[in-house]
Amino acid sequence: MVPVYTISKVGFKKMIRSLDKRYVIPPRNFFSQVAIPELYEKCKAEVQTELSDVQYYAVTTDSSSRTAEPYISLTVHFIHQEFEIKSRCLQTSYFPEDYPSENIAFEMREALAAWGLHDNRLVCIITDNAANTAKAAAQNEWTRLQCFAHRLHLAVENAVKHDGRIERAVGVCKKLVGHFSRSWKARRALEKAQKDLNLPTHSLLSECQTRWGSRQMMISRILEQQQAITQVLSMDKKMHHLTPTWQDIDVLESVSRSLGPLLELTDALSGEDYFSVSYVKPVLHLLNNSILVVQEDDADLTKKVKSEMLNYINKLYNCKATQELLDIACCLDPRFKMDFISADNKSQVSARVISEMTVTLETQETALCSSEVEPKAAATPQKKKAKRSLGCFFKEKGSRAAEKCDSFVNLKDTVEAEFDNYLLAPSIDTEEDPLTWWKIHQVNFPHLAKLARKYLCIPATSSPSEKLFSTSGHIVTCQRSSLKPAMVDRLVFLAKNLNT
């Protein structure tokens, strides 16, 4: 995470001498050409061993630029045999061109193949709304799910854009934040007014263009400190024009009332250690029946913003393939099961789950039979083969057909009984960990447990890949802008996978 030339700094050398005067610090080339490559190969071998036992996995990917150089990241997610969710950074690759979909598709295929991950075990790939990434997933014929956080951001932006009232009110908020951030006298006067009015001594917050929640927090803080802001501005005639009008306050209150509950939800989701795709259906139900429901006492602007956000989100999730994926994942979560699946789709989801369980069991039995090798009998003198009658041919044929039919019936009864027992089992509390439940009950539901590993490993957002770029942003700084792409890949890989 720090430049190699750190070892040549006076302070670092002084620290090493304090630790051990006999130690001789190796030259810089040792770390860049020997130590880091060896550590990378060792960590890579450990990750390779871990991935060799993976039955199903999901992938998140994202593209970004560091120091004007384009990179694409790839992170794999899977559930361990002990039902522990694992995420591993596979690579942060340099792209010399401007992300054409064909190159992205080829690069992702090659990356997965290099790690021994076959396409038939890939459950889903999660991306942002970039068109070239989506096209690359389609070219590889991979099931794709768009990042829930990106969809939510687009829904909010779509609801508030092109509304002159909101643009003006938000513009006033930005001017206020800019004024109090630039003037220490204004900040001191604001603190005095807060104490006089018994208001919290909070500073004003600025907006980040790529984070809709920051806009809501800025608006909430302006509304909270409205009286103190008005009192400070009234003392300076030159700043009277910054005072929000009552129309601006009405608009800000309407926007805050529509976005405030949504911000609380996203804060709760971001606090989860792992936001699985099984959460999406319950969250959509919450949005449609609670958070974004239009109330009678809502202002017209509040109703407009809520309705447009809800319509945009529901429109994005109308895809049949996406709905099937979300329904199965929700069904396999012991917190929700069939609670958030529509009545029309419950029978289809049950049939799909039973069908996948049957295929899994048949594959398991086939592999077991092929692995069994009968011991060779001792060589004995062959007896003369008796002549077979015509009737024995019909007898064997009927017997085999009956055995095959009985085996299919027993197989179907087994999986249906297991699935019915799972649905009859009591659901766990919504704040409990579903993977902990599956770890305990996989003995009772062995075939369903395999499907749980398959679908619950899918994250609902592409944030793991975006976090890679946060890490690379700390590595590829202005002081280290000459790092080669291969070294960037190694450093990011070690930063994310070492000792995890």
Side-chain angles (χ1 to χ4, degrees):
M1 301 297 290
V2 295
V4 177
Y5 69 76
T6 302
I7 64 172
S8 61
K9 292 184 176 180
V10 176
F12 185 83
K13 292 180 178 179
K14 184 177 180 180
M15 180 188 70
I16 295 299
R17 282 198 301 269
S18 299
L19 295 174
D20 189 349
K21 295 181 180 180
R22 299 167 298 177
Y23 183 75
V24 179
I25 302 177
R28 290 170 54 179
N29 290 343
F30 170 79
F31 292 97
S32 60
Q33 299 178 10
V34 179
I36 290 178
E38 286 182 355
L39 190 60
Y40 171 77
E41 293 298 332
K42 180 181 177 182
C43 185
K44 182 178 178 181
E46 293 175 355
V47 174
Q48 190 91 47
T49 302
E50 194 175 32
L51 295 179
S52 62
D53 298 330
V54 173
Q55 292 181 333
Y56 301 104
Y57 66 95
V59 167
T60 55
T61 185
D62 192 22
S63 55
S64 182
S65 296
R66 293 293 173 186
T67 64
E69 298 293 347
Y71 286 88
I72 184 169
S73 66
L74 198 64
T75 309
V76 65
H77 312 269
F78 58 94
I79 294 179
H80 197 264
Q81 290 295 330
E82 296 298 322
F83 271 95
E84 295 179 5
I85 189 68
K86 299 285 186 179
S87 297
R88 292 290 177 260
C89 163
L90 295 186
Q91 69 177 30
T92 305
S93 298
Y94 168 75
F95 264 70
E97 301 178 18
D98 190 21
Y99 306 113
S101 59
E102 294 78 8
N103 286 14
I104 295 177
F106 176 78
E107 182 72 18
M108 289 191 295
R109 288 197 310 270
E110 290 295 307
L112 295 180
W115 288 92
L117 297 173
H118 301 289
D119 288 7
N120 57 356
R121 291 186 287 168
L122 174 62
V123 186
C124 183
I125 180 172
I126 299 86
T127 71
D128 56 13
N129 59 321
N132 50 3
T133 310
K135 188 176 179 180
Q139 289 174 350
N140 287 336
E141 298 182 352
W142 293 346
T143 302
R144 173 182 171 268
L145 187 66
Q146 187 176 338
C147 172
F148 181 80
H150 280 86
R151 288 194 170 191
L152 191 59
H153 177 79
L154 291 175
V156 174
E157 292 298 321
N158 180 73
V160 300
K161 70 179 181 180
H162 305 315
D163 192 304
R165 297 168 296 175
I166 297 178
E167 290 180 359
R168 170 186 158 74
V170 172
V172 171
C173 292
K174 292 180 180 179
K175 292 179 181 179
L176 287 172
V177 173
H179 170 67
F180 284 97
S181 63
R182 288 190 298 267
S183 173
W184 65 268
K185 291 183 178 180
R187 289 197 301 272
R188 187 171 63 181
L190 181 62
E191 291 177 1
K192 185 178 182 302
Q194 289 170 340
K195 294 178 181 178
D196 294 341
L197 297 171
N198 292 323
L199 293 174
T201 55
H202 293 159
S203 300
L204 301 185
L205 301 175
S206 60
E207 177 193 14
C208 174
Q209 293 293 334
T210 57
R211 298 289 184 268
W212 70 266
S214 63
R215 178 187 303 164
Q216 169 58 23
M217 289 188 287
M218 178 184 68
I219 292 174
S220 299
R221 187 59 55 84
I222 293 292
L223 293 175
E224 177 193 81
Q225 302 296 331
Q226 176 191 351
Q227 293 180 339
I229 292 172
T230 303
Q231 180 175 315
V232 172
L233 295 178
S234 64
M235 299 177 183
D236 190 348
K237 294 182 179 180
K238 296 181 180 180
M239 296 299 152
H240 269 293
H241 67 282
L242 292 179
T243 305
T245 64
W246 65 268
Q247 294 95 334
D248 294 330
I249 297 299
D250 284 347
V251 170
L252 294 177
E253 288 178 345
S254 297
V255 174
S256 181
R257 186 165 183 176
S258 57
L259 298 184
L262 196 60
L263 180 61
E264 294 178 2
L265 174 66
T266 53
D267 287 342
L269 294 179
S270 62
E272 293 288 322
D273 293 333
Y274 186 75
F275 181 28
S276 171
V277 73
S278 63
Y279 252 129
V280 175
K281 290 289 286 191
V283 169
L284 291 176
H285 182 271
L286 200 61
L287 294 176
N288 281 275
N289 295 276
S290 177
I291 295 177
L292 295 181
V293 171
V294 175
Q295 306 293 337
E296 293 183 0
D297 57 341
D298 285 342
D300 292 339
L301 183 58
T302 303
K303 294 179 180 178
K304 171 181 174 293
V305 172
K306 284 184 175 181
S307 300
E308 290 188 0
M309 283 193 298
L310 197 57
N311 292 336
Y312 190 86
I313 293 174
N314 290 333
K315 181 180 179 181
L316 289 172
Y317 282 99
N318 276 341
C319 175
K320 183 179 179 181
T322 301
Q323 284 291 335
E324 289 180 356
L325 178 64
L326 298 180
D327 284 340
I328 293 178
C330 182
C331 174
L332 294 172
D333 193 319
R335 297 172 296 181
F336 312 123
K337 296 183 180 179
M338 293 286 191
D339 293 344
F340 298 98
I341 300 175
S342 63
D344 297 336
N345 294 338
K346 286 185 178 180
S347 59
Q348 298 178 3
V349 172
S350 299
R352 172 76 180 272
V353 172
I354 291 174
S355 174
E356 290 204 29
M357 289 173 64
T358 304
V359 171
T360 303
L361 186 57
E362 288 177 346
T363 304
Q364 179 181 348
E365 290 185 351
T366 302
L368 184 63
C369 292
S370 61
S371 63
E372 293 179 354
V373 179
E374 296 182 0
K376 294 182 179 180
T380 55
Q382 294 184 354
K383 297 182 179 180
K384 186 177 180 180
K385 191 174 181 179
K387 188 176 180 180
R388 300 173 64 183
S389 63
L390 180 62
C392 72
F393 287 92
F394 297 97
K395 183 178 180 181
E396 289 183 1
K397 183 177 179 181
S399 177
R400 291 176 182 174
E403 288 178 1
K404 186 175 181 180
C405 182
D406 291 342
S407 175
F408 177 77
V409 172
N410 293 335
L411 190 66
K412 186 178 179 181
D413 292 342
T414 299
V415 296
E416 287 183 353
E418 182 177 327
F419 183 64
D420 292 340
N421 291 335
Y422 166 74
L423 295 180
L424 292 174
S427 301
I428 62 176
D429 188 82
T430 53
E431 294 187 1
E432 293 187 28
D433 185 5
L435 298 185
T436 302
W437 187 91
W438 275 114
K439 180 179 179 180
I440 298 172
H441 294 85
Q442 61 178 324
V443 178
N444 302 326
F445 311 105
H447 308 105
L448 266 178
K450 293 182 179 180
L451 288 188
R453 285 196 188 93
K454 178 179 180 180
Y455 287 99
L456 297 185
C457 72
I458 307 174
T461 68
S462 60
S463 59
S465 289
E466 294 179 0
K467 289 178 181 178
L468 284 183
F469 288 119
S470 298
T471 302
S472 63
H474 294 295
I475 294 175
V476 188
T477 59
C478 295
Q479 292 77 18
R480 309 176 74 186
S481 58
S482 297
L483 282 173
K484 301 297 183 182
M487 181 58 72
V488 173
D489 183 27
R490 289 174 177 175
L491 294 176
V492 175
F493 180 88
L494 289 173
K496 303 303 293 186
N497 294 327
L498 197 60
N499 299 324
T500 58

